[in-house]
Amino acid sequence: MLSVDQARAQLLNAARPVTETETLATTDTLGRILAESVVSAVNVPPLDNSAMDGYAVRLAEAQAEAILPVSQRIPAGTLPQPLAMGSAARIFTGAPVPEGADAIVIQEDTEAADGQVRILRAAKPAAHIRRAGEDIRAGQTVLVAGTRLGPAQLGVAASTGADRLTVYRRLKVAVFFTGDELVQPGQPLPPGRIYNSNRASLIALLTAMGCEVIDLGTVTDTLAATTTALEQAAREADVVMTTGGVSVGEEDHVKAAVSQLGRLDLWKVAMKPGKPLAYGRVGTADFIGLPGNPVSAYVVFCLFAQPFLLTRMGGRWQPPLNFNLPAGFERKKAGDRQEYLRARVEQGRAVLYPNQSSGALTSMAWAEGLVEVEAGHSIATGDPVRFIPMVM
Ligand code: AMP
Ligand code: MG
């Protein structure tokens, strides 16, 4: 059996990043991977400007109780005159600081009347002035290639004036689902059958990552049908993903089909839920076979497929955010596999969903994250445990 880290390292090693790029409007790039770094041509902010509504003054002239004539009014978006000696300039948030001024006295520390302003509290040096280039200097690289573009990154690009960004093309991922017991939601449920839940979760996980999903639906549990679906998927997509059919049962045809058309590595990963993880290639496409059990499929996706796909998309995977929390539960010695328990944070403690079965998908919907328990460890209430938030 491989450890979780070993299996992920092998998988990341096999991920060949896409190279094709496209240039899009910045606002159309949410979730995409940046292919060309963004270098700012401008200072942000472009000029020294006021962080508050108030008065721009010379420090030496603005002691407490000083009364200064108001020599100009500077709304945001206008350009000021140099500050006349012995005067104050009315200034608003975001407006450029006039030449000669070295502090802003906030409105609340003044009294204005008859074109004059009384300073109630002496200004401090450089108070409430945002310096030119304080956020970004001209020439600075603000976003490096390989960055996944989220809302904040799009804002930063826009703040430098970038209206178009060069990103990697979207990754095409074909999915199909094996199991003759599966029924599509919307259809009546005959005895002995179950609804296909993996399809809904997996397509959503891929969509949330920014992949283009090709959905081939449920495939009959025969070698011929599986082979046909696999051939089509590998022709049309960069990556083929399936759930189910990779364990040892004789109804599991995915393994045989992948081996026949390409090559397959079947890894036993020392983790619970999960364990079987299939990786292979068919033609030019990668193949990832997730377990059939819905919780296993979900957790294996997050631990392995997500890092693989991110790398494949041109991004840089980093170990997930995690922190220690006191356990709000007790647990007997874990077996020989690392466990991923569906958990929530309540009053600063990690608490578990009562049903930790790999078939109980409600645990996943309830959970805010996973508690990782090393093989062979037992946990007493209050022990620190590693909590990994699920941020999909
Ligand atoms: P398998 O890996 O094919 O042996 O499937 C393991 C378990 O997961 C079985 O109980 C299947 O019925 C269940 N399962 C497989 N695929 C799905 C699916 N798409 N939706 C819900 N349950 C599934
Ligand atoms: Mg099956």
Side-chain angles (χ1 to χ4, degrees), residues 178-181 221 244-245 251-252:
T178 71
D180 284 348
E181 69 278 33
D221 263 340
E251 297 297 328
D252 294 334

Side-chain angles (χ1 to χ4, degrees), residues 17-280:
V18 295
T19 52
E20 303 92 331
T21 64
E22 54 187 327
T23 300
L24 302 175
T26 299
T27 47
D28 290 337
T29 60
L30 180 65
R32 303 291 288 264
I33 308 290
L34 192 63
E36 284 176 14
S37 297
V38 177
V39 178
S40 181
V42 296
N43 280 322
V44 181
L47 295 170
D48 288 2
N49 69 94
S50 180
M52 299 290 280
D53 292 336
Y55 293 86
V57 296
R58 282 189 179 77
L59 212 51
E61 298 170 350
Q63 299 313 308
E65 296 311 316
I67 294 175
L68 299 168
V70 179
S71 55
Q72 61 177 316
R73 191 170 180 278
I74 318 169
T78 63
L79 279 181
Q81 300 297 316
L83 182 64
M85 292 301 293
S87 80
R90 181 75 172 116
I91 195 165
F92 298 91
T93 305
V97 174
E99 200 185 305
D102 48 17
I104 306 295
V105 182
I106 62 172
Q107 190 167 312
E108 292 81 346
D109 289 346
T110 65
E111 260 171 30
D114 302 330
Q116 295 190 317
V117 63
R118 178 203 291 270
I119 310 295
L120 301 179
R121 206 187 306 191
K124 295 198 184 72
H128 310 299
I129 296 178
R130 299 188 289 218
R131 294 296 175 194
E134 173 182 297
D135 186 12
I136 297 166
R137 292 175 317 284
Q140 183 181 331
T141 299
V142 287
L143 298 169
V144 294
T147 299
R148 180 146 197 256
L149 297 168
Q153 287 73 26
L154 299 196
V156 165
S159 79
T160 69
D163 67 330
R164 296 172 77 72
L165 296 176
T166 300
V167 296
Y168 289 110
R169 72 162 170 85
R170 290 173 73 188
L171 200 66
K172 281 189 196 153
V173 183
V175 295
F176 66 87
F177 305 88
T178 71
D180 284 348
E181 69 278 33
L182 300 178
V183 174
Q184 272 306 91
Q187 303 297 313
L189 193 66
R193 313 281 293 274
I194 58 166
Y195 284 120
N196 183 347
S197 60
N198 285 342
R199 177 172 173 266
S201 292
L202 184 58
I203 290 176
L205 284 163
L206 292 166
T207 305
M209 282 195 72
C211 299
E212 193 180 321
V213 180
I214 301 166
D215 175 20
L216 301 178
T218 306
V219 170
T220 317
D221 263 340
T222 64
L223 183 58
T226 310
T227 307
T228 306
L230 192 62
E231 266 173 335
Q232 186 193 345
R235 247 195 334 267
E236 293 181 11
D238 300 300
V239 180
V240 180
M241 288 183 89
T242 61
T243 69
V246 290
S247 42
V248 292
E250 57 209 43
E251 297 297 328
D252 294 334
H253 299 293
V254 175
K255 267 185 319 192
V258 178
S259 310
Q260 220 171 70
L261 295 178
R263 61 171 191 77
L264 181 74
D265 291 326
L266 200 63
W267 298 329
K268 285 201 172 68
V269 186
M271 64 179 284
K272 193 181 166 190
K275 196 154 143 197
L277 171 65
Y279 171 74

Side-chain angles (χ1 to χ4, degrees), residues 342 344 360-368:
R342 275 70 70 209
R344 261 193 192 184
L361 194 53
T362 46
S363 67
M364 210 65 245
W366 176 90
E368 296 167 334

